[in-house]
Amino acid sequence: MTEKKESCQCDERQEIKKDIALKATVSAIKKKILVLSGKGGVGKSTVSTNLAVGLSQKGYHVGLLDIDIHGPNIPNMLGLQGFPPLITDMGLFPIKMYDNLQVISIGFFLEEKDTPVVWRGPLKHRMIEQFLTDVRWGALDYLVVDSPPGTGDEIISIVQLLDKVDGAVIVATPQDVALADVRRSIKFCLEGSIPVLGIVENMSGFVCPHCGNTVEIFKTGGAEKLAQEYKVPFLGKIPIDPAIVEAGDDGKPVMIYYPNSKPAEAFSNIINKITEILKV
């Protein structure tokens, strides 16, 4: 009986320590941005990466948190594969890309980049919780969270753990089927009292590498109409550009390596709109 009582007290102490660590981390973050997409393959990780990089270029202290447990692409997008985070007695330190840009992802802990993560909801929740309680983020102006597609366990967990999300950036592509999924993301935010910072229409036209003109491969403007329908901001269109494809494959964010490209210009405009809305 005594051993059981001591065990319960120990568990209770651990939970208290966890709550204190979580509150300390969250209170040190000024603004928390959730990047959502209703479906996969719309370029959400590309948007998350370049938002985080672009914000850091403006001088903000930024954390990029990848909670896509089953498809962690952020290490690849930033060229950080093979750079494990520092683990010490004081906790886990995120990878520093610059002095003011820090990154954490489950991808840093996988032995092989194609290793599948086969976890149920509770394990995912615990992992995301550890990314907030055990990781020494320090003081941040912005935390950008790259989430998996849909509105499943990971997103519910991060919303609960962060307590207050300052805004969601919703990524869409012009096709009707993608826009139908975006509606679910918007409704999730509205029902969860998460402010929608706006919708980004990705893959909106193809930039010809020879003449620089934009060709509308898919129909365009659907995301903008959707934003008007739900009375949320439309943040802008990001065109398909060989530069952005090459940047993603090579781990070279377009905001850094192709600063004069049309996608980089589009990201800059989107970041300006977000910082104007949130005002750190």
Side-chain angles (χ1 to χ4, degrees):
M1 179 69 84
T2 303
E3 288 181 5
K4 186 175 181 181
K5 184 178 179 180
E6 288 177 354
S7 176
C8 290
Q9 289 175 341
C10 183
D11 291 342
E12 187 177 341
R13 284 195 295 269
Q14 288 298 322
E15 286 299 316
I16 291 171
K17 285 175 65 177
K18 222 165 33 175
D19 288 343
I20 292 171
L22 179 61
K23 287 176 182 176
T25 297
V26 171
S27 65
I29 304 169
K30 292 180 181 176
K31 300 294 179 182
K32 310 167 196 78
I33 300 173
L34 192 60
V35 181
L36 296 173
S37 63
K39 67 189 299 294
V42 300
K44 173 184 51 56
S45 293
T46 297
V47 171
S48 299
T49 298
N50 284 285
L51 284 184
V53 169
L55 286 166
S56 71
Q57 287 178 322
K58 291 173 76 71
Y60 295 110
H61 288 270
V62 183
L64 177 55
L65 172 57
D66 182 4
I67 64 165
D68 193 342
I69 304 297
H70 298 292
N73 292 317
I74 294 300
N76 295 350
M77 303 292 294
L78 291 170
L80 295 175
Q81 310 97 310
F83 291 89
L86 178 65
I87 302 174
T88 73
D89 292 339
M90 296 174 62
L92 178 69
F93 287 82
I95 298 292
K96 273 196 173 186
M97 187 162 179
Y98 305 109
D99 285 342
N100 62 338
L101 176 58
Q102 304 177 87
V103 188
I104 204 73
S105 167
I106 194 175
F108 293 132
F109 303 96
L110 301 178
E111 291 184 6
E112 302 290 339
K113 65 180 182 180
D114 56 354
T115 301
V117 179
V118 186
W119 287 357
R120 293 185 183 274
L123 278 177
K124 296 179 190 178
H125 180 88
R126 179 60 186 138
M127 183 82 260
I128 296 169
E129 186 178 48
Q130 285 184 299
F131 283 160
L132 293 172
T133 57
D134 296 351
V135 175
R136 299 297 173 254
W137 291 100
L140 296 175
D141 294 311
Y142 290 97
L143 178 69
V144 178
V145 180
D146 183 39
S147 61
T151 53
D153 291 329
E154 296 92 330
I155 297 171
I156 293 169
S157 290
I158 195 66
V159 170
Q160 290 175 344
L161 291 165
L162 289 177
D163 188 36
K164 176 180 178 290
V165 175
D166 294 283
V169 173
I170 298 175
V171 184
T173 51
Q175 304 96 318
D176 286 340
V177 66
L179 294 174
D181 289 326
V182 169
R183 292 176 183 273
R184 299 185 185 97
S185 294
I186 295 173
K187 288 181 178 178
F188 171 81
C189 291
L190 296 176
E191 290 172 5
S193 299
I194 300 170
V196 178
L197 296 175
I199 301 175
V200 172
E201 185 173 276
N202 194 25
M203 306 181 196
S204 184
F206 169 72
V207 178
C208 175
H210 305 292
C211 67
N213 290 329
T214 302
V215 180
E216 303 297 346
I217 299 176
F218 309 116
K219 59 184 179 182
T220 187
E224 190 168 7
K225 290 177 182 175
L226 198 61
Q228 292 171 353
E229 178 185 340
Y230 282 92
K231 296 181 174 58
V232 298
F234 178 68
L235 295 175
K237 301 177 182 180
I238 302 169
I240 302 171
D241 188 312
I244 204 170
V245 177
E246 183 180 341
D249 288 344
D250 293 346
K252 298 178 177 180
V254 71
M255 290 292 289
I256 299 172
Y257 291 91
Y258 302 94
N260 298 318
S261 65
K262 288 189 176 181
E265 181 183 347
F267 277 121
S268 292
N269 292 333
I270 289 167
I271 289 166
N272 287 338
K273 290 178 181 179
I274 290 172
T275 53
E276 180 62 27
I277 294 169
L278 292 180
K279 289 184 169 60
V280 167

